[in-house]
Amino acid sequence: MWQLLGLILGGALLKLLLSLRKIINKRNALKKLPSPPGAHWLYGHDKQGPFDPGYKWLIDTVAAFPRVYTLWQGPVPIPVMVHPETMKPLLTGAVSNIKSEFYDLFVDWLGSGLATAEGAKWKRNRRLLTRSFHLDILRTYTPVSNDCVEVLLDKLGRSAAVGQKCDIYRYLALCTYDVILRTAYSYKSNCQVEEIGQDKGMDVLSASETMMWFVQERMFRNRLLINPWIFRLSSNYAKYESACQYLHKFSQNLIQERRKEISHKVDTAEPITKPRDFLDTLIMARDEDGTRLTVKEMVDEVNTFLFAGHETTATSMTWLLYFLSKYPEHQTKIREEVDEILADRDSDRISFEDLGRFDYMTIAIKESMRMMTAGPLFIRTLAAPYTVDGFTIPKGTMVGICFHQLHHNPTVWGDDHMEYKPSRFLPQNIAKMDPFSFAPFSAGTRNCIGQQFAMNEMKIFTARILRRFRLSLVTGEPDVVPAMNLASKPMKPLYIDVEPTDRAS
């Protein structure tokens, strides 16, 4: 008995020593990489505030270390790639890597949807879902986006009439949520003008916001809660679980109702031969052998696209309207472009064919996304060693890909990278740059599947808003400061004044 206990304890001690040896070897290897000075042996760079609002540390660090550096998160070293050449092998899969453990924070909510899936499962689902973003389907979404923007314009008009300043992110978040529900799921929620049907004081938008709050809290503010056991014992866990269950139930109901509709059409000899939206694609998708997605897989993808389909677009639109309000000369150029395209029309509605004609608007949107990228940082785990600039990073190391630093890297974008200059994206200028210099939707094999959907939506929003209103920052309000969350949002509400143009109806 004592011998068996001794063997067990000896084995556990040996395993612990081997793990410690591996950790020490990894730390010693990563100490060879350049790193900002002042890292504490226990707290690392934490006390320097690397992710503090305003991102000053990030901007200063990429200027000093424009290719790769090691960020010490407490005692844990995380090499961070900030240059196209050091990122490209990770983004293209030339160096094998997988999602980091931070993505586990989304699993209860998003399951194994496209945002969290790996390997063969990700490849299979990406292939099955790509058809939802085919040109012919994107074309059908344009009228829906116009309809949703009509509601937004009416709300902005009423605010302008009484001189009320607008919390622009809140207006845009409701509108983008309306768009994704109507386009992807053909679900009319009226969320812009009235509360969605509630269950236990919760609706689909508030439940999503609750889940985002918890992920942000665990990732950036209270790292003890990353441990699932500690998190389950926390005082707010019941609220988290309730929101998660609500979203899963909502998605299941959407799927169930659509499956009934499709079955009824088949029974009445009115089969749906082509998917009409994303939900149709999920239900009708088949592998070569006829295998369908399970209900659980469909729920995971519905939740993933409800989140990804509105949050980043609302955030990107918020920053765009901020920059256009701050630098009205660019707002004027876009408005003139829109007026020219819509000249002699009876309606301000944007057609699918119009979207490719907004040349100046397009470069203004891209420059806004460079200045403030919605998804500022991604963490991956190396599945193989990676040699960068002569240093070998061991397998199993978490590495960062910081798009905010990439987009403010002075060796890539010049010393004026903090200036808003849409001319950077003129064809003759962008042709001289590495294609991986600009990656607001990530890049490589795992780029955002919905990026064209998002760009189309932003163009419709921008054209319709600027056609109807002149935008300006509210006098006396402090300048806007970005804060690191799941998306780079303004730390405080961003208020914008809207004044009707002579095109307002």
Side-chain angles (χ1 to χ4, degrees):
M1 180 67 179
W2 288 108
Q3 288 179 331
L4 178 61
L5 182 60
L7 286 172
I8 293 173
L9 290 175
L13 180 60
L14 179 61
K15 186 175 181 179
L16 176 62
L17 291 174
L18 290 174
S19 296
L20 286 174
R21 181 182 177 185
K22 187 181 293 186
I23 292 170
I24 291 170
N25 288 341
K26 183 184 293 185
R27 283 173 57 90
N28 289 338
L30 295 178
K31 281 181 179 179
K32 298 175 184 177
L33 277 172
S35 180
H40 187 272
W41 68 271
L42 178 61
Y43 302 114
H45 290 109
D46 286 357
K47 291 190 174 181
Q48 297 181 17
F51 302 123
D52 279 359
Y55 300 166
K56 183 179 185 305
W57 190 92
L58 294 177
I59 299 299
D60 291 344
T61 299
V62 72
F65 305 95
R67 291 181 61 82
V68 58
Y69 68 92
T70 296
L71 167 69
W72 289 84
Q73 284 267 267
V76 179
I78 302 179
V80 182
M81 311 300 151
V82 295
H83 191 278
E85 293 175 359
T86 60
M87 288 182 177
K88 193 182 305 182
L90 299 174
L91 295 171
T92 60
V95 173
S96 180
N97 61 91
I98 58 175
K99 299 280 189 181
S100 76
E101 62 190 35
F102 287 110
Y103 285 83
D104 292 344
L105 301 179
F106 293 91
V107 168
D108 290 344
W109 177 16
L110 307 182
S112 55
L114 277 184
T116 53
E118 290 288 352
K121 182 176 181 59
W122 174 83
K123 289 180 181 178
R124 178 235 187 182
N125 285 14
R126 175 85 178 211
R127 174 176 52 81
L128 292 175
L129 300 180
T130 295
R131 68 191 69 177
S132 286
F133 300 94
H134 187 274
L135 189 68
D136 290 340
I137 292 182
L138 290 178
R139 184 186 302 274
T140 68
Y141 294 161
T142 305
V144 180
S145 293
N146 275 281
D147 290 342
C148 294
V149 171
E150 290 284 356
V151 181
L152 172 64
L153 294 175
D154 181 62
K155 292 170 66 177
L156 291 174
R158 283 187 274 115
S159 294
V162 298
Q164 179 184 25
K165 60 185 182 181
C166 304
D167 178 355
I168 199 65
Y169 172 77
R170 186 63 185 172
Y171 279 61
L172 290 168
L174 288 169
C175 192
T176 56
Y177 215 86
D178 200 7
V179 170
I180 194 64
L181 285 170
R182 293 196 194 194
T183 55
Y185 310 109
S186 301
Y187 181 87
K188 293 186 178 181
S189 68
N190 296 318
C191 63
Q192 294 192 74
V193 293
E194 60 185 44
E195 290 186 343
I196 310 172
Q198 293 205 342
D199 179 13
K200 298 179 180 178
M202 190 174 294
D203 59 42
V204 63
L205 184 56
S206 64
S208 295
E209 290 175 339
T210 296
M211 295 303 293
M212 282 187 280
W213 185 89
F214 275 105
V215 172
Q216 290 166 184
E217 185 74 9
R218 299 173 74 189
M219 188 177 293
F220 295 107
R221 292 184 281 273
N222 190 344
R223 292 187 197 137
L224 283 176
L225 297 179
I226 289 177
N227 183 292
W229 296 106
I230 294 177
F231 180 49
R232 287 187 178 92
L233 294 173
S234 64
S235 58
N236 284 329
Y237 181 74
K239 185 177 180 181
Y240 167 89
E241 189 174 31
S242 178
C244 191
Q245 289 176 354
Y246 179 93
L247 289 171
H248 282 263
K249 181 181 177 182
F250 178 82
S251 298
Q252 287 167 357
N253 288 340
L254 282 178
I255 294 164
Q256 184 179 4
E257 290 301 315
R258 184 61 62 84
R259 290 174 81 177
K260 286 180 181 178
E261 179 194 342
I262 292 174
S263 295
H264 176 72
K265 286 186 177 292
V266 170
D267 293 341
T268 57
E270 295 182 61
I272 299 172
T273 57
K274 291 183 179 179
R276 299 159 296 177
D277 59 17
F278 177 71
L279 191 53
D280 272 359
T281 299
L282 284 177
I283 294 170
M284 298 169 68
R286 302 286 188 279
D287 287 319
E288 289 81 359
D289 62 359
T291 303
R292 305 184 182 196
L293 293 169
T294 66
V295 172
K296 173 64 168 62
E297 288 174 323
M298 286 190 276
V299 167
D300 291 344
E301 298 298 357
V302 168
N303 284 329
T304 296
F305 278 82
L306 276 175
F307 161 59
H310 98 281
E311 173 69 12
T312 52
T313 306
T315 300
S316 295
M317 271 302 305
T318 298
W319 288 117
L320 174 64
L321 297 187
Y322 164 74
F323 287 118
L324 296 181
S325 299
K326 189 173 183 178
Y327 306 107
E329 64 272 22
H330 302 295
Q331 181 184 153
T332 300
K333 288 182 179 181
I334 296 174
R335 185 178 294 109
E336 290 173 350
E337 181 177 69
V338 174
D339 286 346
E340 182 180 349
I341 290 172
L342 296 182
D344 302 322
R345 292 194 195 175
D346 295 332
S347 170
D348 288 349
R349 290 174 71 87
I350 305 301
S351 71
F352 185 77
E353 288 69 28
D354 292 333
L355 298 176
R357 302 173 62 193
F358 294 130
D359 296 333
Y360 196 82
M361 181 197 295
T362 300
I363 65 174
I365 290 173
K366 288 181 177 180
E367 175 67 347
S368 174
M369 290 193 290
R370 182 195 69 82
M371 287 287 290
M372 203 58 63
T373 308
L377 176 67
F378 290 84
I379 305 291
R380 309 287 291 176
T381 298
L382 293 179
Y386 175 34
T387 300
V388 53
D389 291 354
F391 302 97
T392 298
I393 304 173
K395 173 183 175 181
T397 302
M398 286 195 298
V399 295
I401 300 173
C402 189
F403 294 117
H404 187 83
Q405 289 181 302
L406 167 70
H407 295 157
H408 289 282
N409 190 324
T411 68
V412 178
W413 293 100
D415 292 334
D416 62 350
H417 60 90
M418 293 300 290
E419 296 180 25
Y420 180 76
K421 293 176 59 177
S423 60
R424 299 179 202 275
F425 288 92
L426 289 170
Q428 62 268 31
N429 293 331
I430 207 68
K432 303 172 187 175
M433 303 188 69
D434 188 310
F436 284 78
S437 297
F438 179 62
F441 297 103
S442 189
T445 54
R446 293 200 66 143
N447 64 349
C448 174
I449 191 174
Q451 59 183 287
Q452 193 57 56
F453 172 88
M455 282 296 292
N456 291 352
E457 187 178 350
M458 289 182 69
K459 289 179 182 181
I460 294 169
F461 277 40
T462 304
R464 297 296 305 275
I465 291 171
L466 295 189
R467 175 82 163 171
R468 192 76 62 88
F469 301 105
R470 278 184 290 272
L471 311 179
S472 59
L473 298 181
V474 177
T475 303
E477 287 284 331
D479 200 11
V480 178
V481 176
M484 181 77 75
N485 290 295
L486 295 182
S488 282
K489 293 182 183 178
M491 186 173 67
K492 295 181 180 179
L494 169 59
Y495 294 108
I496 288 180
D497 275 332
V498 294
E499 177 189 355
T501 67
D502 57 2
R503 296 287 185 182
S505 57

